[in-house]
Structures are given as C-alpha cells and as structure tokens.
Amino acid sequence: MEKSVKELAEFLHGTVENDNPELIVTGVAGLVEAGPQDISFAVPPHVEHCHLSKAGVMVLSPADPELDGRPVIRVENPRFAFAALLELFRPQEEVERVISNLAYVAPGARIGAKDCTIYPNVTVREDCVLGDRVILQAGAVIGGDGFGYITQNGKHSKVLQTGNVILHDDVEIGNNTCIDRATANSTIVGKGTKIDNLVHLGHNDILGENC
C-alpha cells in the first residue's frame, strides 16, 4: 500500500505540518524500527526522543513540541491513530468462517451466529455462555472447575462446581488464560473487557465492563 502524507492526515482526521508531497509512505512501524518510508508515533515520555527515529512521518498530539522539519500529523490521540494505521496497512487476513472439522462440539451445544473467534486448543465447558464478537486466544479454558474444597480432619473433599461462566459481548481472553466456573451461579466477564495471556480468574469472580 502507498499513501501520501496528505492522504494519511485525512484518514486520521489530523492536521499536517511540514508536508512533503513527494514522500510516499509504504508502511507503519515503531520508533526504533521505522524507516524513511514509514509512519510512526510517539507519546510521552518518548516524544523527546522521536527526533532520533528514521520514520518519514510522525504522528504526535497538538501539545507535543515541533519536530525537526520532517512531516508531522497532529491528532488528539496518537495511540488510537497508530492502531488505525496498523489496520490500514496490515489488515487482518480473511479466514473462512467455519467450524473446523478437527473441533469437537458437544451434541447439545448451541452455536449461534455470534461472530466469535475461537483459536486452536480452546476449551469451553458445559453451560458456559459467550456473547457476540468474543475472541478466545489459543489454549484458553473457559469453565474449568473452580478451586473449591472442604477440609475436615486434615483431608480435602472436592465441592461440586455447579455454576458456569458468562462472557459478555466484545470480550477477549488471552492465550492460556483460565476462567473458572462458579461454585454456584456465574463467573462473569463484563462487556468489552480484555484479559491478557496466562491470567487466572477464580470461581464466582465478577469483572465489570471495559476492564
């Protein structure tokens, strides 16, 4: 993909300083990795070092200082702009929206048209509920038993875990993250919440929205 500085400014709804009409931008990269035909961004405390970057174009906020004569696109939120640029230059690969013939789906499971993405080696156990646009990264376990025991006379007896897990719309769960089913009722992850890799969410925990 090739874009001019002006085209990128229009795409980001930003304003241009030191425009170079001859510059053609072909990629987006971080400050260190960027080259003369890349666009990059900086936020504090990295703004003071962005003059060392070889990026052809820099995305900065209106409050940041002037740069060394190279093109700058000023936007209110440089991080948000950078995310938009990544999608523009490196769109996600389209994959066929199917259930793999290598997946095991229980006969009683109900599969809705929810636009969810479930990567390899994910386990979603009985009675758990996924909202729309949920993403489960590889190895996630949704609805494993909660860590519930009764100790009597020095011996541990397992408490039956009868609840479930509810993941609301637009939740993303990272690789090898485990969310335990509730002892009773539900372990809940609110709408829009994102959980990183290697996280354990215990039974009956409740997370709110957009955490």
Side-chain angles (χ1 to χ4, degrees), residues 44-68:
H46 306 293
V47 173
E48 60 185 278
H49 305 296
C50 67
H51 66 281
L52 300 174
S53 174
K54 295 181 181 178
V57 187
M58 194 68 63
V59 178
L60 300 173
S61 79
D64 293 328
E66 293 187 8
L67 208 52
D68 50 4

Side-chain angles (χ1 to χ4, degrees), residues 40-102:
S40 189
F41 86 111
V43 294
H46 306 293
V47 173
E48 60 185 278
H49 305 296
C50 67
H51 66 281
L52 300 174
S53 174
K54 295 181 181 178
V57 187
M58 194 68 63
V59 178
L60 300 173
S61 79
D64 293 328
E66 293 187 8
L67 208 52
D68 50 4
R70 85 181 79 181
V72 174
I73 300 175
R74 302 279 180 179
V75 297
E76 290 299 325
N77 190 330
R79 287 188 186 277
F80 188 84
F82 190 70
L85 289 168
L86 287 172
E87 292 194 7
L88 176 66
F89 280 93
R90 304 174 185 173
Q92 289 189 349
E93 183 180 354
E94 289 293 328
V95 296
E96 190 178 2
R97 309 293 292 185
V98 297
I99 298 174
S100 169
N101 58 11
L102 300 177

Side-chain angles (χ1 to χ4, degrees), residues 1-76:
M1 179 178 292
E2 297 183 347
K3 293 288 184 182
S4 68
V5 176
K6 182 179 180 180
E7 287 175 325
L8 291 174
E10 292 174 351
F11 171 74
L12 296 173
H13 304 289
T15 57
V16 182
E17 295 176 4
N18 308 318
D19 189 14
N20 178 359
E22 297 181 358
L23 176 61
I24 299 299
V25 179
T26 59
V28 55
L31 281 176
V32 176
E33 302 85 3
Q37 286 189 286
D38 290 327
I39 184 169
S40 189
F41 86 111
V43 294
H46 306 293
V47 173
E48 60 185 278
H49 305 296
C50 67
H51 66 281
L52 300 174
S53 174
K54 295 181 181 178
V57 187
M58 194 68 63
V59 178
L60 300 173
S61 79
D64 293 328
E66 293 187 8
L67 208 52
D68 50 4
R70 85 181 79 181
V72 174
I73 300 175
R74 302 279 180 179
V75 297
E76 290 299 325

